[in-house]
Amino acid sequence: MPSIDAVGAREILDSRGNPTVEVEVALDDGTIARAAVPSGASTGAFEAVELRDGGERYGGKGVTKAVDGVLDVIGPELVGYEATEQRLVDQRLLDLDGTPDKSRLGANAILGVSLAVARAAAESTGLPLFRYVGGPSAHLLPVPMMNILNGGAHADSNVDVQEFMIAPIGAATFAEALAMGTETYHALKSVLKKDGLATGLGDEGGFAPNLSSNRAALDLIVRAVDQAGYSVGTDVAFALDVAATEFHSEAGYAFEGKTLSAGDLTEYYTDLVANYPIVSIEDPLSEEDWDGWIALTAALGDRVQIVGDDLFVTNPTRLADGVERGAANALLVKVNQIGTLTETLDAVGLAHRSGYRCMMSHRSGETEDTTIADLAVATDCGQIKTGAPARSERVAKYNQLLRIEEELDDAARYAGSAAFPRLRAR
Ligand SMILES: O=C(O)[C@@H](CO)OP(=O)(O)O
Ligand SMILES: [Mg+2]
């Protein structure tokens, strides 16, 4: 088995023009593979720590410390490790860091190495990444949860909800789903233009108009689906990422000009779910509001997927706590929230064993790295959110899924509406 010969790293830019870490791993059989690390804006307080330099360079956002950690501390320690021993490599990374939140070396440094090792191992064994990680069971193409209208921390608009996503559940294949979503995205642009609304884009490529309410966003999307020639609910369903931590304070939830309680918001969502074909709501409440989450899950969890992002931060320990307490019924999976591939796989495994569904996810700051597309198939998630079908850092993931579907050929199956079992029960 090939072993690790050298580990390199450099500072590159992400899609917001902020520095991020890129790692290259060389094996003794000549294989060289590379991975780049994403970065969030609406980050959860319990995420693993992203190491930034401080100081004046890049407004304090440089990652030279993280890069130096890879070159000076991590690299020399990994030389000689078998590249396919991912779990041992990741454990060594955790031991070298030695902190519970990866704050010494930085989750950005650690993740870059972890993913680059996986990519090198896959390449050296001659397998595509999704097959190397997922084995023979990897065959399910995820529903693309396409964020076509941006608000919250991802836009300079007055819309509270961070992401309005469309889920092309009625498609027969991933390629068809991507086309349906993309046609709807283009139709939304023309609907916005018709109404004299702005067509500027948010961080994830969705449109970011000022609107009178969050419902107004859903109504625009209904018109867009219609104009694209698809049926609302059967062909194209909706999903939200409310990112409620962002507008929560001790006073409550600052939503549509009012201060609401968790109970008020739960009523609001109940009403939305009754009036729009919403299959999934992410972070409907704040990351600290466990009681609110438990009550909301009890009230709505039989009708709609409730996804924990800031609540769980892809952390198996926080997820286990949530499962025990009955908070949410799905896990958002972000590799850089936890910082290694094996911990990510452990979180997904725990979610699936606990009857929770999983949605693989990008970050609002992304790169051309497409690892999450392969991981979505490898882990049998059935859902991926990676932004609008515009902006190359988002499209790169969708394009990789097209390639995977083609490669799987007759073995490929598109998750479709089966990704959301409760939808059928409504
Ligand atoms: O909240 C989210 O789910 C993400 C990705 O869409 O945003 P960020 O990367 O800014 O945390
Ligand atoms: Mg989120």
Side-chain angles (χ1 to χ4, degrees):
M1 275 292 139
S3 62
I4 297 172
D5 214 13
V7 182
R10 65 175 64 86
E11 185 178 71
I12 61 166
L13 288 180
D14 73 12
S15 56
R16 272 195 284 250
N18 293 325
T20 190
V21 179
E22 178 170 89
V23 174
E24 271 167 11
V25 166
L27 306 185
D28 63 0
D29 65 355
T31 305
I32 297 179
R34 169 190 295 161
V37 177
S39 173
S42 61
T43 46
F46 305 102
E47 293 192 18
V49 171
E50 190 179 64
L51 195 63
R52 299 264 174 204
D53 297 345
E56 282 177 13
R57 202 171 152 272
Y58 281 121
K61 289 183 173 163
V63 292
T64 52
K65 277 186 195 156
V67 166
D68 288 348
V70 175
L71 297 175
D72 302 336
V73 182
I74 298 176
E77 289 288 335
L78 289 189
V79 171
Y81 268 78
E82 277 184 24
T84 48
E85 294 288 1
Q86 186 75 40
R87 201 160 278 273
L88 297 182
V89 168
D90 286 351
Q91 188 57 52
R92 187 78 193 114
L93 294 171
L94 298 187
D95 293 343
L96 280 172
D97 178 77
T99 68
D101 57 3
K102 303 187 175 69
S103 51
R104 190 169 95 82
L105 293 168
N108 42 354
I110 291 171
L111 180 70
V113 175
S114 181
L115 295 183
V117 167
R119 296 199 81 99
E123 203 169 311
S124 144
T125 48
L127 292 171
L129 186 62
F130 75 90
R131 177 67 71 212
Y132 169 72
V133 176
S137 71
H139 73 294
L140 190 67
L141 271 295
V143 175
M145 314 293 290
M146 300 161 96
N147 175 11
I148 62 171
L149 202 147
N150 297 186
H154 293 174
D156 295 323
S157 72
N158 62 352
V159 177
D160 305 304
V161 171
Q162 180 178 284
E163 301 167 24
F164 292 86
M165 291 170 273
I166 48 171
I169 52 171
T173 63
F174 176 81
E176 195 181 310
L178 190 62
M180 283 165 72
T182 306
E183 286 164 27
T184 304
Y185 175 77
H186 292 307
L188 180 59
K189 184 170 186 175
S190 82
V191 167
L192 291 170
K193 275 190 171 162
K194 204 166 171 192
D195 286 13
L197 292 163
T199 54
L201 304 183
D203 286 358
E204 299 184 350
F207 300 108
N210 274 322
L211 298 172
S212 58
S213 68
N214 293 283
R215 275 170 175 273
L218 290 168
D219 291 334
L220 288 165
I221 297 172
V222 167
R223 282 168 60 197
V225 173
D226 204 45
Q227 188 174 308
Y230 296 111
S231 75
V232 177
T234 326
D235 289 332
V236 179
F238 299 169
L240 304 176
D241 179 5
V242 183
T245 304
E246 295 294 312
F247 54 79
H248 181 255
S249 69
E250 253 175 50
Y253 294 92
F255 191 77
E256 296 194 335
K258 291 182 282 240
T259 305
L260 302 185
S261 67
D264 297 334
L265 264 180
T266 303
E267 264 177 47
Y268 172 84
Y269 299 132
T270 307
D271 198 50
L272 275 194
V273 168
N275 288 288
Y276 298 91
I278 294 173
V279 290
S280 178
I281 306 179
E282 178 184 330
D283 282 357
L285 297 170
S286 137
E287 64 200 357
E288 312 253 24
D289 193 351
W290 283 96
D291 291 343
W293 273 88
I294 294 161
L296 182 143
T297 307
L300 275 172
D302 62 342
R303 259 165 289 169
V304 67
Q305 173 173 275
I306 311 287
V307 188
D309 171 11
D310 290 355
L311 185 71
F312 295 142
V313 291
T314 319
N315 183 320
T317 309
R318 284 187 69 86
L319 174 63
D321 203 17
V323 169
E324 179 75 30
R325 295 160 81 169
N329 57 27
L331 171 74
L332 196 78
V333 183
K334 289 170 165 168
V335 281
N336 80 322
Q337 277 182 330
I338 187 67
T340 61
L341 177 60
T342 48
E343 288 169 289
T344 306
L345 297 175
D346 289 349
V348 173
L350 175 63
H352 283 159
R353 285 195 303 281
S354 310
Y356 277 42
R357 288 182 292 279
C358 292
M359 189 189 297
M360 189 60 58
S361 172
H362 65 161
R363 298 308 306 247
S364 50
E366 267 295 336
T367 70
E368 61 273 33
D369 186 290
T370 57
T371 304
I372 61 164
D374 284 71
L375 292 185
V377 178
T379 56
D380 217 12
C381 276
Q383 307 171 35
I384 187 171
K385 70 163 192 173
T386 184
R391 296 184 56 131
S392 303
E393 78 279 6
R394 315 290 151 188
V395 167
K397 281 70 162 173
Y398 293 131
N399 287 345
Q400 174 66 1
L401 286 162
L402 289 173
R403 290 180 206 110
I404 293 174
E405 184 166 67
E406 192 180 296
E407 173 136 15
L408 280 166
D409 200 12
D410 286 347
R413 188 162 69 80
Y414 175 58
S417 61
F420 309 96
R422 290 190 173 86
L423 180 69
R424 287 177 294 180
R426 269 201 246 164

